[in-house]
Structure formats: structure tokens, C-alpha cells
Amino acid sequence: GQNIDQPTEMTATEGAIVQINCTYQTSGFNGLFWYQQHAGEAPTFLSYNVLDGLEEKGRFSSFLSRSKGYSYLLLKELQMKDSASYLCALARGGYNKLIFGAGTRLAVHP
Amino acid sequence: EPEVTQTPSHQVTQMGQEVILRCVPISNHLYFYWYRQILGQKVEFLVSFYNNEISEKSEIFDDQFSVERPDGSNFTLKIRSTKLEDSAMYFCASRQNSGANVLTFGAGSRLTVL
């Protein structure tokens, strides 16, 4: 089985940096993915980690520590359009299905 | 940019009716998935499909559900006899056989069962 925990809600200010944490327990692991989901829309891929360390993609970075069962998504230079839910997901199994956490709803204020 | 397309975007049906949700995955993708998201809840895995057969399914995917790839492009999810609790957004996703194994999601089909 697996268990994925992330904060339910966060708020941040436009232009600031925010870190969204995700902790997990799993019996199998093929990678840790981060998706963004605006209300009523599909999840869209942001970043993923298979090995420990930091992956940087423009304003978004993701970090993974497999020994600690911990990941975070870092968003820099926040914009109003970054207000959305951020979903932490584990890839498991031979067909790499994604198992999603409940998501963190981020509200960016001016 | 290639995308996964889903139809219909919204379907309203009566309890007990059959529903078919359609998806056209990205053309060079080989793995296909259905997920659902009940309003206000998390995205839940239903089923994965590879090489013309189900590769894995969740507990949610009971005998009322079936999937099919009737031709080279479409991938369908059928719910045989809908229940009120089937009301949700249903997302189709697909991915390649190589690289980052990133799932690309369609825009979803919102199913409302009355």
C-alpha cells in the first residue's frame, strides 16, 4: 500500500517563494511526480524525481529524499496564476500508474 | 503540442443508464489510463491498459466498469448501470514507452448521475 501526505491549504504573496511538502510511505517506488490542477481542469505535469536531489525547471523545482520518504515542490516568483492545487503523486507498479495525494490548495495574494 | 482529447465534456444521465466516455490518446503513446475525481476529492486511479488488455485495475473498477480500444485511436470507458456515486470527473491519460514516463491527461468528462 501507500500513504501520501501533503498540507491541505497554503497561502503566499505574489513575488514570493513557497515550498509545498509531501511525505509518503510506499512499498514500491518508480518516481515522485508533481502536477498542477486548476479548479475544474485536468492535472498538468510540473516536475518529477526518480533519484535523490533537486530538479529545476524554470520557476519550479522539486526535491526528493527517498530514504526519508520526502519531497517538496518549490515555486519561485509567485504569480497570481499559480493559485491552484498541487498534487504529489507516486509512480508504482510495472505500468507506472500514478497514485495521487489529496493535493495542496495554494492561494496567491497580491 | 499533442493532447489527449475526451468526449463528452459533460454528460447528465439517469441512475441505471449505461454511459460511454470516449478518449483519443496521443498518437504515439502506448499506455492508457482512466482516473476519476469526485468533486472536492483526490484524483483516483481506475485502470491501466496496455497492448490491448487491462494491465492493472483498482478496487473501484468493479464489474460495472469496462474499457475498450475499439480501433487504433479511441479508448473508451463504459459504466454499465450508473449509480449516484459515479458522479465525478473522469480523466483519461496516456504516456509513451520511454523517457520520463509522464502521464498526459485529457480535459476530463464530467458525469452527473441523477
Side-chain angles (χ1 to χ4, degrees):
Chain A
Q2 63 285 315
N3 193 39
I4 302 169
D5 289 310
Q6 41 181 142
T8 305
E9 290 185 353
M10 297 182 71
T11 59
T13 306
E14 195 175 13
I17 299 172
V18 72
Q19 178 175 311
I20 302 174
N21 295 325
C22 172
T23 57
Y24 64 88
Q25 295 165 327
T26 182
S27 55
F29 181 87
N30 293 344
L32 190 295
F33 289 71
W34 284 96
Y35 279 75
Q36 180 191 62
Q37 186 179 32
H38 285 98
E41 298 183 11
T44 55
F45 170 72
L46 291 177
S47 185
Y48 90 110
N49 300 72
V50 176
L51 302 176
D52 290 356
L54 188 68
E55 292 287 337
E56 297 189 79
K57 276 180 84 172
R59 292 193 300 118
F60 299 94
S61 304
S62 59
F63 172 83
L64 176 67
S65 168
R66 287 172 297 169
S67 63
K68 294 190 169 103
Y70 168 68
S71 174
Y72 67 71
L73 179 71
L74 196 70
L75 293 80
K76 303 174 191 172
E77 300 168 18
L78 280 172
Q79 302 172 11
M80 298 297 289
K81 67 178 183 179
D82 296 329
S83 293
S85 288
Y86 291 86
L87 314 181
C88 173
L90 293 174
R92 296 188 65 237
Y95 299 93
N96 271 344
K97 71 180 182 194
L98 290 182
I99 303 300
F100 285 88
T104 298
R105 195 160 55 245
L106 174 67
V108 180
H109 299 290
Chain B
E1 187 168 329
E3 58 181 29
V4 175
T5 56
Q6 291 186 241
T7 54
S9 56
H10 189 191
Q11 180 154 359
V12 181
T13 190
Q14 295 291 325
M15 193 167 54
Q17 294 297 304
E18 176 183 282
V19 160
I20 297 176
L21 305 178
R22 292 183 167 80
C23 170
V24 179
I26 294 173
S27 62
N28 63 342
H29 285 191
L30 299 178
Y31 296 83
F32 314 118
Y33 307 81
W34 282 101
Y35 284 80
R36 81 170 185 192
Q37 187 174 32
I38 295 170
L39 188 64
Q41 298 187 23
K42 65 180 179 181
V43 177
E44 299 176 290
F45 169 76
L46 291 178
V47 66
S48 59
F49 192 88
Y50 172 72
N51 201 26
N52 284 320
E53 60 183 21
I54 290 173
S55 48
E56 194 170 357
K57 60 184 181 180
S58 71
E59 292 175 355
I60 302 168
F61 195 89
D62 61 21
D63 292 343
Q64 292 299 311
F65 291 89
S66 63
V67 289
E68 196 176 39
R69 188 156 164 82
D71 52 46
S73 59
N74 290 285
F75 179 50
T76 62
L77 175 69
K78 182 194 288 187
I79 309 174
R80 238 176 295 281
S81 177
T82 51
K83 305 188 281 284
L84 294 176
E85 53 265 38
D86 294 327
S87 295
M89 183 75 97
Y90 288 82
F91 292 109
C92 174
S94 68
R95 71 170 176 89
Q96 288 179 309
N97 190 32
S98 60
N101 294 321
V102 174
L103 267 66
T104 301
F105 286 81
S109 292
R110 179 169 297 287
L111 176 64
T112 302
V113 182
L114 302 177

